[in-house]
Amino acid sequence: MNLDLLAIAAHPDDVELTCGGTLLKMAQQGYRTGILDLTAGEMGTRGTPETRAKEAAAAARILRVKYRGCLEVPDSDVQPSRQHKLRLATKIRELRPKTVILPYWEARHPDHYHASTLGYEGCFLAGLKALPIDGEPHRPFKILYSTAFAEVRPTFVVDITAQYEARHRAILAFGSQFRRPKGVSRKKHHKTNVFLAIDKLEDQMNLLARRYGDMIGVKYGEPFLQKELMKVDDVVDMEVRSV
Ligand SMILES: [Zn+2]
């Protein structure tokens, strides 16, 4: 499929929350983008997997991705097992992304940090000729990590001010994750702990976007890390003011 950019994360809505603005911005610049959810999020207390799949498709349309798929790893079982790695490597060979965005390698939820390792190893294995899987070998050129933590210093920040509204709409598309479903009393809805859900996460991510936007002199930004150094050719024409 030759995607330019593929974001891989553990659960549907992880990508929207962490790097949805960047995905849309790249699509607007003409790049072919995609999202691969490792699980269908079936362990979530809200919404059925079917509902979440519909929501994920709606969010994907808003972010204008050319591809959205699910690797169907069981939710809460994301780990770099041989089986999962080979499945992911097969998918990488199909999609052939140049750049991949993975979750940051440390997190509270095991699915999130395992998604980072599984993602890295799947990308690596996809390039090995002798691997017992279908498809032409392909290894992404660049791996970026998208972080959701204020205490992790990113290596660069993408200005998503112009995409911020659409990112919000893409997050809203996951309606089952925070709205009170019809026929469920307010009291019962509270009992399912629903307000700990996506709207709270979005608040945190919006604060983060504001904070990092501010640090690069714009309104909203999404933070990323890369393990390599950045190469710069023109130190006179560099953005972000020092003084
Ligand atoms: Zn998640």
Side-chain angles (χ1 to χ4, degrees):
M1 199 175 183
N2 290 313
L3 292 179
D4 297 300
L5 177 64
L6 175 67
I8 301 175
H11 313 111
D13 76 23
D14 286 356
V15 164
E16 282 75 6
L17 285 161
T18 53
C19 58
T22 302
L23 275 183
L24 175 58
K25 183 169 183 154
M26 293 306 103
Q28 288 169 339
Q29 289 180 21
Y31 290 116
R32 294 165 63 84
T33 61
I35 298 172
L36 180 61
D37 304 311
L38 295 175
T39 78
E42 67 270 20
M43 293 293 279
T45 46
R46 302 159 208 94
T48 61
E50 293 72 35
T51 316
R52 288 190 87 169
K54 271 190 204 149
E55 293 170 346
R61 281 193 294 277
I62 296 169
L63 299 181
R64 298 193 207 169
V65 297
K66 293 262 188 278
Y67 169 87
R68 181 168 209 156
C70 177
L71 201 64
E72 283 164 21
V73 167
D75 193 355
S76 83
D77 183 42
V78 176
Q79 50 175 304
S81 68
R82 176 99 177 141
Q83 185 201 2
H84 296 341
K85 280 193 273 191
L86 292 184
R87 253 166 97 173
L88 178 56
T90 308
K91 193 48 95 178
I92 294 288
R93 286 182 174 191
E94 268 172 53
L95 300 175
R96 314 188 78 71
K98 180 168 190 256
T99 299
V100 167
I101 298 175
L102 297 177
Y104 182 62
W105 52 87
E106 284 174 13
R108 187 183 64 85
H109 193 317
D111 273 1
H112 292 166
Y113 58 79
H114 283 319
S116 192
T117 316
L118 172 58
Y120 178 83
E121 295 183 9
C123 288
F124 188 89
L125 291 187
L128 293 179
K129 277 198 190 78
L131 215 65
I133 55 168
D134 291 340
E136 278 294 297
H138 174 82
R139 189 170 291 153
F141 177 79
K142 172 68 77 182
I143 294 187
L144 304 174
Y145 296 89
S146 107
T147 158
F149 307 106
E151 63 274 23
V152 176
R153 186 165 176 95
T155 39
F156 65 91
V157 176
V158 176
D159 175 9
I160 60 142
T161 309
Q163 290 75 29
Y164 183 79
E165 254 323 297
R167 177 176 100 154
H168 174 60
R169 277 189 285 115
I171 294 167
L172 279 183
F174 288 88
S176 72
Q177 300 305 296
F178 56 119
R179 262 175 252 155
R180 183 159 55 104
K182 278 197 184 91
V184 175
S185 72
R186 194 174 292 271
K187 206 172 152 199
K188 193 158 175 228
H189 193 230
H190 270 290
K191 270 200 184 139
T192 61
N193 213 5
V194 80
F195 292 109
L196 214 144
I198 197 171
D199 40 355
K200 193 170 170 191
L201 287 172
E202 196 202 357
D203 272 354
Q204 288 170 6
M205 296 313 293
N206 290 347
L207 281 172
L208 201 73
R210 185 70 194 93
R211 170 193 155 109
Y212 283 117
D214 203 46
M215 287 170 79
I216 60 163
V218 303
K219 187 141 192 204
Y220 295 108
E222 283 175 343
F224 293 90
L225 284 93
Q226 61 169 359
K227 291 187 174 173
E228 308 77 34
L229 284 182
M230 303 264 290
K231 175 173 172 282
V232 171
D233 284 317
D234 185 343
V235 294
V236 176
D237 188 28
M238 287 180 76
E239 293 193 73
V240 185
R241 193 177 180 95
S242 301
V243 284

